[in-house]
Amino acid sequence: MHLADRSAMGSVTRSAAGFRLADVLLLCALATLVGCASIGGPLPTATPEELLAQEIRLGIRTLASDGQIEVLPSSELAQRLASRFADERLSVLALSGGGATGAFGAGALVGLDRSGNRPEFSVVTGVSAGALVAPYAFLGPSWAQDMTAIYTGNVTRGLLQRHLLGALFGESVYSGAPLKRLIDRYADDELLAAVAKEADKGRLLLVATTDFATGEPVIWDLGSVALHGGSNAKVLFRTILLASASVPGMFPPVTIKFRTAGGSREETHVDGGVTVPFFIAPAPKDLAVFGAGGPPLVRIVIDGRLQDAPYAANRNAVSIFSRSVSAGLSRMTRTTLEWTVDASRQRGISVDYAAIPASYPLHGTFNFNPDAQRALFQYASDCAAAGRLWIHTADAAAGVPGDRSRTAVANSACPADDRFIGRFAALDR
């Protein structure tokens, strides 16, 4: 619960008391973490022998026409794309994790629709909140209405339902049921049929989870699940999305069941953002092979900041721990972006990206207050519609100055007008 939600609780006093209770419970959880580590049954895992035999952590997990998961290397996916889109320019959209700030990515897509500048991406990838937006990015403007409803209606209200003692005796602080209901509501038969139709054209919809047992990121081809999953397609599709957005500790880990050539498997997965903030697939080294359409275009939407506003932590374990995690995740995102820009540039691949400027008044990664969601969605949409969304790394590297003459949107500079983001794109920090 956040400051903006206090009115729903009836009084500021009760809300503040709730915060103190939550802090006490979390401190108790931290203090007793070692002693409570053995509470609860074991989660499903794979043996070392199974991992070595299946090589299940490598490549992209794709559902074959026989209903079995096979692992394809990045190079093979790139070859498939090259054969399907030999005369077109290959384009990749990567959507990062971000919790409630997924509203930024969703709004950006709608703004691109408003300006008429949203291409049909050959590949769409998503992590965590970005994974939930990815199917709509994949399907295009005709599905923008559902995506808009999620972030501008009251759909996300009540998404965080606290378990009073969940941190100590359960799998999570919050119930996973509201998030599951949200996914089940929108990932319906019609959406899966539309995804399958686009996947059959050779386009790719990929999302990442984290294998909880191995601590490794896992990339799933959701298009192939919709196309070849048969009667189990909807269950597997929804389960992978749920896993990708289930922040460990906050939401319960998710069990994913599937078949491989070696038999049935059952694994525990959590939020993909634990191991990767976003990802490009096929990898830049494989994307460098392109046809008559010209060099590939990669666009990355960071559902968060690359530079945090100054933050004064309180002298307590919860505040210090929260700030440390936030700083670590922010730095991981910047490092991943730096590597991606550098690797792509070396191979002649154009990279554009957008992130939330530090000047935008965010109120927490998990502030699902509908007013905050609507404001961030509208801000991103207005910036994209005005042509102020993308930082063009080719221009930054060449020293081409950005156009900063435009009026700020909603009293905040758009991503393209943010000086720090622009300097970052030039790899000059």
Side-chain angles (χ1 to χ4, degrees):
M1 192 67 67
H2 297 267
L3 293 175
D5 299 317
R6 289 182 174 180
S7 60
M9 299 182 67
S11 73
V12 173
T13 302
R14 286 204 306 275
S15 179
F19 274 118
R20 289 194 293 272
L21 176 60
D23 288 351
V24 169
L25 289 174
L26 185 51
L27 281 171
C28 290
L30 292 172
T32 58
L33 184 60
V34 175
C36 293
S38 61
I39 294 177
L43 295 168
T45 187
T47 66
E49 292 76 16
E50 287 175 326
L51 290 175
L52 288 173
Q54 299 288 340
E55 295 187 0
I56 207 71
R57 289 178 288 173
L58 306 177
I60 293 90
R61 294 187 180 184
T62 300
L63 191 65
S65 57
D66 61 2
Q68 296 183 356
I69 289 288
E70 59 182 6
V71 183
L72 301 180
S74 168
S75 58
E76 184 169 338
L77 281 188
Q79 291 170 6
R80 292 185 181 186
L81 288 170
S83 63
R84 288 292 189 103
F85 303 101
D87 299 324
E88 303 174 32
R89 188 183 190 188
L90 193 69
S91 58
V92 179
L93 173 66
L95 299 163
S96 86
T101 52
F104 176 75
L109 291 169
V110 171
L112 292 174
D113 292 340
R114 290 166 55 191
S115 67
N117 291 321
R118 180 178 171 186
E120 182 180 82
F121 293 100
S122 316
V123 182
V124 176
T125 76
V127 176
S128 192
L132 302 184
V133 174
Y136 297 107
F138 185 70
L139 294 177
S142 63
W143 285 80
Q145 185 175 354
D146 280 0
M147 181 173 63
T148 301
I150 294 173
Y151 290 101
T152 64
N154 293 323
V155 177
T156 58
R157 184 184 292 277
L159 195 59
L160 301 182
Q161 293 183 2
R162 189 183 297 276
H163 286 315
L164 186 61
L165 296 176
L168 289 177
F169 305 108
E171 296 179 314
S172 61
V173 174
Y174 298 103
S175 168
L179 179 59
K180 184 179 185 302
R181 286 195 296 268
L182 176 66
I183 292 172
D184 290 351
R185 174 180 174 182
Y186 287 96
D188 56 13
D189 292 329
E190 185 180 2
L191 183 139
L192 260 72
V195 168
K197 181 179 178 181
E198 294 304 312
D200 198 36
K201 298 176 183 177
R203 298 175 62 214
L204 296 175
L205 172 60
L206 310 174
V207 302
T209 62
T210 298
D211 185 328
F212 196 65
T214 65
E216 295 289 337
V218 175
I219 299 174
W220 303 83
D221 181 353
L222 281 187
S224 69
V225 172
L227 185 61
H228 300 305
S231 60
N232 191 50
K234 188 162 58 177
V235 172
L236 183 56
F237 192 99
R238 289 172 169 178
T239 302
I240 293 170
L241 283 181
L242 179 62
S244 185
S246 292
V247 179
M250 288 193 64
F251 296 113
V254 176
T255 299
I256 302 179
K257 300 177 181 179
F258 56 95
R259 291 191 302 115
T260 70
S264 297
R265 294 185 61 82
E266 186 174 318
E267 296 176 349
T268 300
H269 286 250
V270 296
D271 194 305
V274 171
T275 46
V276 286
F278 66 87
F279 67 96
I280 305 300
K285 66 181 179 61
D286 300 315
L287 280 176
V289 180
F290 47 82
L297 171 64
V298 172
R299 283 183 162 170
I300 304 167
V301 177
I302 305 295
D303 285 330
R305 293 168 170 157
L306 293 177
Q307 179 185 36
D308 284 339
Y311 177 87
N314 296 321
R315 289 183 179 274
N316 65 68
V318 174
S319 181
I320 293 171
F321 178 75
S322 176
R323 176 54 176 164
S324 299
V325 170
S326 174
L329 292 175
S330 177
R331 185 59 190 173
M332 182 173 72
T333 300
R334 287 167 57 177
T335 300
T336 304
L337 182 60
E338 179 183 35
W339 177 87
T340 301
V341 170
D342 189 45
S344 299
R345 185 179 294 166
Q346 291 179 19
R347 292 162 177 81
I349 299 172
S350 299
V351 179
D352 300 337
Y353 71 89
I356 302 175
S359 61
Y360 184 85
L362 286 179
H363 298 289
T365 302
F366 298 101
N367 180 14
F368 288 100
N369 175 269
D371 291 337
Q373 294 262 278
R374 280 190 290 269
L376 181 56
F377 180 97
Q378 192 62 50
Y379 161 77
S381 179
D382 289 345
C383 285
R388 310 306 303 149
L389 179 68
W390 301 115
I391 291 289
H392 304 290
T393 58
D395 290 347
V400 177
D403 178 8
R404 306 186 188 279
S405 63
R406 310 227 180 182
T407 302
V409 172
N411 299 319
S412 296
C414 286
D417 306 313
D418 186 90
R419 294 185 181 277
F420 176 83
I421 298 176
R423 291 199 305 271
F424 189 88
L427 300 181
D428 178 18
R429 294 169 301 286

